[in-house]
Amino acid sequence: MTNPIGPDQLLRMESLGDNCELGFVLGNLGCKAGSVFRWASMKPDRLLSKLRADFAGMYEFDNLSPLRPAMVLDSRYGIGWHTELKSEPVAGRLAFRDDEENRRRIHLKEMRKVQYLVSKFIARTRLGGVLFVIKSNDGIDPATVDGIHEQLRRISGGAEFALLEVRSTDETPAVGTVDWVRPGLLRGFVSRFAPYERADDVDMPAWTSILAGALELFPCPQWADRLASLDVSGAGAAIHLEFPKARPDGTEIPIPETPRAGTAALLNGGKWCRTVGDVFRLHGPDPDRTSAVLRWAGLRISGSHHLSGSIKCPVADSLPVDLTVRTWNESRTVARSRRFTVAPGQPLDLELDIEPGPANPLVIEVMVNASRPVKSGERAVVDVSPLSLHPSVTSISAAIGAG
């Protein structure tokens, strides 16, 4: 079926959990961006408790127990999370597979990711224009829906948003429809929800119709500009990485012999690699050729940080692009590396956890190539949003209370 929702508009939607059904719907529509509740298992009343508590005590190590072989239960809120804290049956019960030392190491990494996604949730809420989506196979108490809407209004700090409640119905004419219940609250209908044991078995035509209709009823023409200004600073000062400067003819301004900390440079890029609005556009060469590279040199950080941004192919006829983000030190020892493949209509979050350790000062590189050889008349294009380094969040409540 044809996807009527543009890539940028897909990024207006924020899942409020219950299970992974909406996550699979968004994935089928081409959206792979991460969000804190996209793959979480929780009932709406548990979500309400979490919002009221400003996410306090979420995902603490001592509150986690095996739920499934690749899921843990957070007993503080009764929420299930997908995890690398694997478990296996022992004497008829699930038990963690790793010892405590290894579990704490895995937990620290996952905790940073959860904290970052919560900060992103708060920052996006305050942008205005976000469409929150909630459902439950068993239905939702209207008082719970009202409570969630009230808490979102508090967290948003007055920014506009809409809450879409999705219900199942046997009334065929209602399937795929959506309308306002009252200002700020929409309601749409699917023929059925996916069973909890098969969350990917979705009523895709109805979901697509509902989401497209909700975005039309709640438009946000300024969304692209708002998204470009997203600042997920959390409870600490973010380091914002500036793009390379260019001459009016598009050619690169040479960097000085001794670059200042955080100096940006474009390497192996021609005049078509340039700043376009708030993003930096890179054209990828053939896979066997030297990558086009964005590089930031001389960065010094203290403690754990999370590198974040977004990437997308801005033109429909672009080839898929292979992008690698990596960090290395002055001895050219690679500290961290992660590869992404981005295709038209499938924007992605660019994320990398960074521990400075012996890799201080850091060099950060974003390297781009086409996913296959580029033929005559073809191109491989990717837009990189402004990137930021965020310290690990220590207080979500402080982030909500700030501003």
Side-chain angles (χ1 to χ4, degrees), residues 43-193:
K43 294 300 181 184
D45 61 325
R46 299 294 188 175
L47 168 66
L48 180 55
S49 296
K50 183 188 292 286
L51 296 177
R52 284 174 172 165
D54 288 341
F55 304 91
M58 187 174 70
Y59 211 74
E60 291 182 351
F61 181 83
D62 292 335
N63 292 338
L64 303 181
S65 60
L67 178 61
R68 296 177 188 169
M71 291 188 73
V72 291
L73 177 68
D74 182 347
S75 61
R76 169 99 185 225
Y77 294 104
I79 296 177
W81 301 91
H82 290 270
T83 182
E84 292 299 318
L85 295 167
K86 299 296 194 297
S87 55
E88 56 192 11
V90 176
R93 298 181 59 186
L94 284 175
F96 285 121
R97 189 175 61 191
D98 296 320
D99 60 25
E100 181 175 337
E101 181 179 354
N102 283 327
R103 295 204 313 274
R104 286 190 179 276
R105 176 181 54 79
I106 295 169
H107 171 263
L108 178 61
K109 176 182 177 181
E110 295 185 343
M111 184 65 164
R112 286 201 299 267
K113 180 67 175 288
V114 169
Q115 290 174 329
Y116 166 75
L117 289 175
V118 170
S119 293
K120 180 181 177 182
F121 177 94
I122 296 167
R124 277 168 49 82
T125 303
R126 291 178 172 178
L127 285 179
V130 174
L131 176 67
F132 294 96
V133 185
I134 191 167
K135 50 79 64 173
S136 175
N137 290 21
D138 301 323
I140 311 174
D141 187 316
T144 300
V145 174
D146 291 344
I148 291 170
H149 191 276
E150 178 183 353
Q151 292 304 311
L152 292 174
R153 185 170 63 244
R154 176 181 65 85
I155 293 171
S156 75
E160 58 183 348
F161 68 89
L163 175 61
L164 167 62
E165 180 195 2
V166 181
R167 295 182 176 184
S168 61
T169 181
D170 294 327
E171 299 179 10
T172 302
V175 173
T177 65
V178 61
D179 209 344
W180 290 107
V181 177
R182 63 172 188 269
L185 178 62
L186 292 153
R187 184 173 295 146
F189 297 91
V190 294
S191 63
R192 59 173 179 80
F193 287 125

Side-chain angles (χ1 to χ4, degrees), residues 241-244 252 255 262-269 280 282 290-299 307-309 311 322-340 350-354 359 361-369 382 384-385 387-389:
L241 303 182
E242 297 181 356
F243 291 137
E252 178 186 353
I255 61 175
T263 296
L266 169 66
L267 309 177
N268 311 317
F280 199 91
L282 291 167
T290 303
S291 305
V293 180
L294 280 176
R295 176 184 292 172
W296 293 268
L299 290 159
L307 177 69
S308 67
I311 51 178
D322 289 334
L323 181 149
T324 298
V325 56
R326 69 179 187 178
T327 65
W328 45 274
N329 60 18
E330 291 176 332
S331 300
R332 301 191 69 84
T333 300
V334 174
R336 295 298 306 276
S337 179
R338 186 177 179 188
R339 183 174 176 175
F340 304 82
L350 184 156
E351 298 178 1
L352 188 70
D353 287 321
I354 298 174
L362 289 174
V363 174
I364 296 177
E365 290 185 329
V366 174
M367 309 164 62
V368 169
N369 288 87
V382 64
V384 180
S385 78
L387 303 183
S388 299
L389 281 164

Side-chain angles (χ1 to χ4, degrees), residues 261-300:
T263 296
L266 169 66
L267 309 177
N268 311 317
K271 65 180 181 179
W272 295 108
C273 297
R274 65 200 190 281
T275 301
V276 179
D278 294 316
V279 302
F280 199 91
R281 181 160 297 172
L282 291 167
H283 287 247
D286 286 354
D288 60 349
R289 295 182 58 191
T290 303
S291 305
V293 180
L294 280 176
R295 176 184 292 172
W296 293 268
L299 290 159
R300 293 183 179 274

